[in-house]
Amino acid sequence: MNNREQQVGYVLKQAQSLLRLRMEEALNPLALTVSQYSCLHHLLREPGISAAGLARATFMTRQSMSSMLQQLLDRRLVERPARPESGRVLPTALTAAGVDLLSAAQAEVNGVEERMLSGLSPSERTSLTRGLSACVKALGG
Amino acid sequence: MNNREQQVGYVLKQAQSLLRLRMEEALNPLALTVSQYSCLHHLLREPGISAAGLARATFMTRQSMSSMLQQLLDRRLVERPARPESGRVLPTALTAAGVDLLSAAQAEVNGVEERMLSGLSPSERTSLTRGLSACVKALGG
DNA sequence: TTGTTCATGTAAGAATTCTGACATACCATT
DNA sequence: AATGGTATGTCAGAATTCTTACATGAACAA
């Protein structure tokens, strides 16, 4: 049969693509893209982070993050000071509306992730996470 | 500490992003993007496939695949008949130059993948593949 | 102080990919 | 034969993301 389809790189891409698709479907009713969700998600964990830092955490360029943040600012899900307090960093944080929307989004995403892992035992899940972490480490993340 | 960073979905995205980045770096000297490589790769396994089928195999829309194929056609890496033999399908295949370039690209990509898995034992590698396959199956791939 | 290096934010433009829409051809059912 | 459903290829336009480039501010060394 086809060999490559069983190799790690391909299955990795397949899993990630499918996860993203299902997340996109789940978040669609909330008018959120996966990228936007990732951004809000990280903002909850690290309020006051810079746009550049946020970009690194979500695997985007800071330019892309900047235009995305503008949309979230327009929707009042996120807020930034008009001027930097010090340096050039504009610390970004969620608004109350942002926290609420993220909460609903999180429930959807948790459902998708649980579905993804439904065929795996607890030990298999931690094993999967460890394996992926080893890949990240080896690739120099 | 930060909880989400250790969850499966995030690590999965992190691993895939990093793998793609390293592949992009490795393929850059060959003037190939990862998407183009994926396309050529699948064409070797399944010569005569339709553009729509190719799109499904590489997780793109057929519209995106169509414009990418046009580039590969211009570079004489790929060939299609001017008219469909039957139906609307235009069977696509690699040219000799396409096979050669893919061969060089494959060596680069194999190196990256080997590096990614360098921290894992053979049994851990198959375990990782199985885990990811289970995710794909559960998400309805 | 001065100069260098680095990180941040932003702008402009290109490239990639997607969405919506349409015509065409095959296939199964009636 | 006629019809409805499905798949393919393509066009047009929008949205997203990236590349290149520049100005500003901080940290650090000479």
Side-chain angles (χ1 to χ4, degrees):
Chain A
M1 287 295 284
N2 212 322
N3 191 12
R4 165 72 175 170
E5 264 63 16
Q6 302 165 0
Q7 285 183 0
V8 183
Y10 187 82
V11 187
L12 179 57
K13 179 176 180 178
Q14 194 178 8
Q16 160 65 20
S17 296
L18 215 42
L19 173 60
R20 186 172 188 108
L21 176 63
R22 297 301 175 226
M23 287 175 66
E24 216 78 65
E25 293 169 353
L27 293 174
N28 187 47
L30 301 175
L32 278 181
T33 65
V34 172
S35 296
Q36 289 170 335
Y37 160 78
S38 300
C39 177
L40 298 180
H41 181 94
H42 202 87
L43 277 172
L44 182 69
R45 270 72 188 173
E46 205 166 333
I49 191 178
S50 70
L54 209 43
R56 282 189 295 269
T58 53
F59 315 104
M60 307 171 56
T61 62
R62 61 187 193 279
Q63 292 88 337
S64 301
M65 178 55 68
S66 181
S67 67
M68 218 185 64
L69 277 180
Q70 194 53 56
Q71 296 178 339
L72 297 176
L73 283 167
D74 293 345
R75 286 171 68 181
R76 303 275 192 265
L77 297 173
V78 148
E79 57 191 0
R80 316 174 78 178
R83 301 184 162 279
E85 301 169 3
S86 82
R88 304 208 67 194
V89 176
L90 292 173
T92 309
L94 293 178
T95 63
V99 173
D100 287 347
L101 184 58
L102 175 59
S103 169
Q106 191 65 64
E108 296 294 330
V109 171
N110 287 345
V112 172
E113 193 156 319
E114 178 51 40
R115 177 181 164 196
M116 177 176 80
L117 299 172
S118 59
L120 297 175
S121 69
S123 81
E124 286 173 326
R125 297 184 186 195
T126 65
S127 164
L128 177 60
T129 304
R130 284 181 198 277
L132 290 172
S133 295
C135 291
V136 170
K137 184 178 178 185
L139 290 175
Chain B
M1 287 296 283
N2 211 320
N3 191 12
R4 166 71 176 169
E5 263 65 18
Q6 302 165 0
Q7 286 183 0
V8 183
Y10 188 83
V11 187
L12 179 58
K13 179 177 180 178
Q14 194 178 9
Q16 160 65 18
S17 296
L18 215 42
L19 173 60
R20 186 170 189 110
L21 176 63
R22 297 302 175 224
M23 286 175 67
E24 215 77 66
E25 293 169 353
L27 293 174
N28 188 47
L30 300 176
L32 279 181
T33 66
V34 172
S35 295
Q36 289 170 335
Y37 160 78
S38 299
C39 176
L40 297 180
H41 181 94
H42 202 87
L43 278 173
L44 183 69
R45 270 71 187 175
E46 204 166 334
I49 190 178
S50 69
L54 210 43
R56 282 189 295 268
T58 55
F59 315 105
M60 307 172 55
T61 61
R62 61 187 193 279
Q63 293 90 334
S64 301
M65 178 55 68
S66 182
S67 68
M68 216 184 64
L69 277 180
Q70 194 53 56
Q71 296 179 339
L72 297 175
L73 283 167
D74 293 344
R75 288 171 66 181
R76 303 275 192 267
L77 298 174
V78 148
E79 57 190 2
R80 316 175 78 177
R83 299 185 162 280
E85 301 169 1
S86 81
R88 302 208 69 193
V89 176
L90 292 172
T92 309
L94 294 178
T95 63
V99 173
D100 287 349
L101 185 58
L102 175 59
S103 169
Q106 190 65 64
E108 296 294 332
V109 170
N110 287 345
V112 173
E113 192 157 320
E114 178 51 39
R115 177 181 164 196
M116 178 175 81
L117 299 173
S118 59
L120 297 175
S121 69
S123 80
E124 287 173 327
R125 297 184 186 196
T126 64
S127 164
L128 177 59
T129 304
R130 283 179 198 279
L132 290 171
S133 296
C135 291
V136 170
K137 184 178 177 184
L139 289 176

